[in-house]
Amino acid sequence: MRPRTALALALGLVLFLTGCGSSGKTPPQAGGPPTASPTSVPKPTRTPRPTPTTPPKPKLRPLPKTLPAGLKRGSGDRAVALTFDDGPDPRWTPQILDQLRAAHVTATFCLIGKQAQRHPELVARIVREGHQLCNHSWRHDLNLGRRPVAEIKADLLRTNEAIRAAVPDAQITWFRQPGGRWTPEEVSVARQLGMRPLHWTVDPQDWNHPNAKTIIKRVEAAARPGSIVLMHDGGGDRKQTMAACRHLIPDLKQRYGISRLH
């Protein structure tokens, strides 16, 4: 065999064997992205809502150990003065008004602002029948005098507005702090608003629901010429107070006389 022929055959055999070894294989693609392994998708996190914050309430002033100066603690003459707190009440206030009218005497009614707003017709009757008016705070706040001066003023003004919504030209001469828990700041605010601070000298504690005989006994034991008597026509069941007044009003009128505050 000639050398050229043998070389050609050998070269052809090599090419044949190379092609068979690579058949069925897919050559790798250059530049392709690597195969990514599956990963879990993170859950979205919730942003917590901000917690609403309320401003701290201002601290209450300490209650004075003694009553402040300037409180009205006498009727102004030898007669006694009757005062009724915590109304007007649709059940009890008309009853006491009837008793006062029958005796031809007048009293001072210390009105709660919320009650005046609910029962303007009773405010109008109190004024129409010649009785005096006293601001007794909006909601009978025992700690009103210990609060910031701005709160005291707002409370008293709101109460006066409720009273004057019923009687636009009402003369509100007096202010009485619930429970008699006075502070000098409160006395000052009341005076700035044209009201005199009204206290008392006789307290039968009828707010605690003693029977009528006990109320009568306590008033008669403590009453003196010029006394200011504290009783209630609202704030609870006043049946015993009504019964006591049927005796007390004519009795006090006979013993001392009953007059307006002045």
Side-chain angles (χ1 to χ4, degrees), residues 83-185:
T83 64
F84 295 92
D85 286 13
D86 297 357
D89 182 277
R91 181 175 182 183
W92 310 116
T93 303
Q95 292 186 41
I96 202 65
L97 286 170
D98 289 347
Q99 292 189 41
L100 293 168
R101 182 172 57 186
H104 303 287
V105 296
T106 59
T108 300
F109 287 82
C110 299
L111 306 181
I112 299 295
K114 290 176 68 174
Q115 290 297 105
Q117 186 180 65
R118 290 170 181 163
H119 307 290
E121 73 286 353
L122 291 177
V123 179
R125 180 180 170 185
I126 289 168
V127 173
R128 186 169 63 250
E129 296 186 4
H131 304 286
Q132 291 180 303
L133 295 179
C134 172
N135 180 321
H136 198 36
S137 84
W138 177 254
R139 57 180 181 87
H140 203 271
D141 183 359
L142 292 173
N143 287 316
L144 180 61
R146 302 172 63 196
R147 301 191 187 282
V149 169
E151 286 190 32
I152 299 173
K153 185 175 182 179
D155 187 290
L156 270 57
L157 285 172
R158 187 181 185 187
T159 303
N160 282 351
E161 288 172 2
I163 294 170
R164 291 192 172 117
V167 183
D169 58 348
Q171 297 296 312
I172 308 170
T173 309
W174 309 98
F175 169 73
R176 174 176 279 169
Q177 161 61 28
R181 303 178 70 177
W182 294 95
T183 62
E185 293 84 0

Side-chain angles (χ1 to χ4, degrees), residues 31-262:
T35 304
S37 60
T39 57
S40 59
V41 179
K43 295 181 179 180
T45 57
R46 292 183 179 180
T47 304
R49 294 181 179 180
T51 304
T53 58
T54 56
K57 293 183 179 179
K59 291 183 178 180
L60 298 178
R61 282 186 300 275
L63 195 66
K65 294 182 180 180
T66 59
L67 291 174
L71 301 181
K72 176 70 171 177
R73 304 184 70 177
S75 66
D77 57 30
R78 290 186 57 82
V80 301
L82 301 178
T83 64
F84 295 92
D85 286 13
D86 297 357
D89 182 277
R91 181 175 182 183
W92 310 116
T93 303
Q95 292 186 41
I96 202 65
L97 286 170
D98 289 347
Q99 292 189 41
L100 293 168
R101 182 172 57 186
H104 303 287
V105 296
T106 59
T108 300
F109 287 82
C110 299
L111 306 181
I112 299 295
K114 290 176 68 174
Q115 290 297 105
Q117 186 180 65
R118 290 170 181 163
H119 307 290
E121 73 286 353
L122 291 177
V123 179
R125 180 180 170 185
I126 289 168
V127 173
R128 186 169 63 250
E129 296 186 4
H131 304 286
Q132 291 180 303
L133 295 179
C134 172
N135 180 321
H136 198 36
S137 84
W138 177 254
R139 57 180 181 87
H140 203 271
D141 183 359
L142 292 173
N143 287 316
L144 180 61
R146 302 172 63 196
R147 301 191 187 282
V149 169
E151 286 190 32
I152 299 173
K153 185 175 182 179
D155 187 290
L156 270 57
L157 285 172
R158 187 181 185 187
T159 303
N160 282 351
E161 288 172 2
I163 294 170
R164 291 192 172 117
V167 183
D169 58 348
Q171 297 296 312
I172 308 170
T173 309
W174 309 98
F175 169 73
R176 174 176 279 169
Q177 161 61 28
R181 303 178 70 177
W182 294 95
T183 62
E185 293 84 0
E186 190 172 44
V187 171
S188 177
V189 170
R191 289 190 178 280
Q192 289 172 17
L193 297 178
M195 295 180 290
R196 298 172 64 187
L198 176 62
H199 200 61
W200 59 82
T201 52
V202 179
D203 178 10
Q205 298 184 0
D206 65 326
W207 50 267
N208 200 28
H209 308 103
N211 59 43
K213 288 183 178 180
T214 300
I215 296 172
I216 293 168
K217 181 179 179 180
R218 290 173 177 173
V219 172
E220 290 183 341
R224 301 286 186 274
S227 291
I228 298 175
V229 181
L230 165 65
M231 287 185 285
H232 295 77
D233 66 321
D237 186 341
R238 301 304 174 206
K239 186 183 302 181
Q240 297 302 317
T241 300
M242 299 301 110
C245 283
R246 281 191 283 272
H247 170 83
L248 284 172
I249 292 175
D251 181 63
L252 292 173
K253 180 181 179 181
Q254 182 180 8
R255 290 168 63 189
Y256 305 106
I258 295 175
S259 69
R260 294 166 61 88
L261 291 164
H262 56 274

